[in-house]
Amino acid sequence: MYRNAAIAIALAAFAAFGVVMAQQQRSAAPLVEVFKTPTCGCCSQWVEHMRANGFTVRTNDLSDLAEIKKARGVPDRVQSCHTAVVSGYVVEGHVPAADVHRLLKEKPAVAGIAVGGMPIGSPGMEFPGTKAQAYDVMSFDKSGAIRMFAKH
């Protein structure tokens, strides 16, 4: 009788451990650390887009982002209004969450991906009644070489 009770307790504990581990894995969303200016509304909207698409986001408000962009090797040609870092990759500007998920899944040998400028219709740059612009997501490496990553 004691043996059966001990087995039942062990099985219950093992099952509970499995549930806890599954919950921790689900809640372990990739952390996106965003560097932006304190008053930028479109940056805040991009942060909400990332959260809505499964990312954990931490923001850092800075008055000047030039040093962050330089330190992270963001080429001038693809700079935008905010810079983020996720799993060691740089994400510059209004990159769709789907492209960030793809970056993390494929793990290409790049320093990061970017949407240069602030194209209308990109995440955080949506305006009701305004047609979205076509835009590209570019990848860049540590030498500054830029290549196409996605078209939108």
Side-chain angles (χ1 to χ4, degrees):
M1 182 160 159
Y2 291 111
R3 182 174 176 224
N4 289 343
I7 291 172
I9 291 170
L11 288 174
F14 183 72
F17 178 75
V19 169
V20 169
M21 291 304 293
Q23 288 174 340
Q24 285 179 342
Q25 288 175 348
R26 277 195 298 274
S27 66
L31 174 65
V32 179
E33 182 139 20
V34 180
F35 301 90
K36 65 180 199 59
T37 58
T39 58
C40 187
C42 66
C43 296
S44 296
Q45 289 178 12
W46 184 79
V47 164
E48 291 310 312
H49 165 77
M50 296 301 285
R51 285 183 176 135
N53 284 277
F55 290 95
T56 299
V57 182
R58 181 173 53 215
T59 60
N60 300 279
D61 289 335
L62 305 171
S63 59
D64 184 8
L65 301 176
E67 286 303 313
I68 293 290
K69 293 176 189 305
K70 182 179 178 184
R72 296 294 180 173
V74 180
D76 290 344
R77 192 173 120 208
V78 296
Q79 288 188 6
S80 184
C81 56
H82 59 267
T83 302
V85 178
V86 58
S87 297
Y89 288 106
V90 176
V91 178
E92 176 74 10
H94 294 269
V95 176
D99 292 330
V100 179
H101 281 297
R102 177 181 155 212
L103 174 74
L104 298 177
K105 180 181 178 188
E106 294 178 3
K107 295 179 176 41
V110 299
I113 57 177
V115 171
M118 298 164 64
I120 302 298
S122 60
M125 290 297 298
E126 302 97 340
F127 298 100
T130 304
K131 184 180 178 189
Q133 296 174 283
Y135 64 94
D136 299 326
V137 177
M138 308 302 289
S139 68
F140 58 93
D141 63 21
K142 290 181 186 204
S143 73
I146 299 170
R147 291 185 172 59
M148 179 68 62
F149 186 79
K151 288 184 154 301
H152 294 277

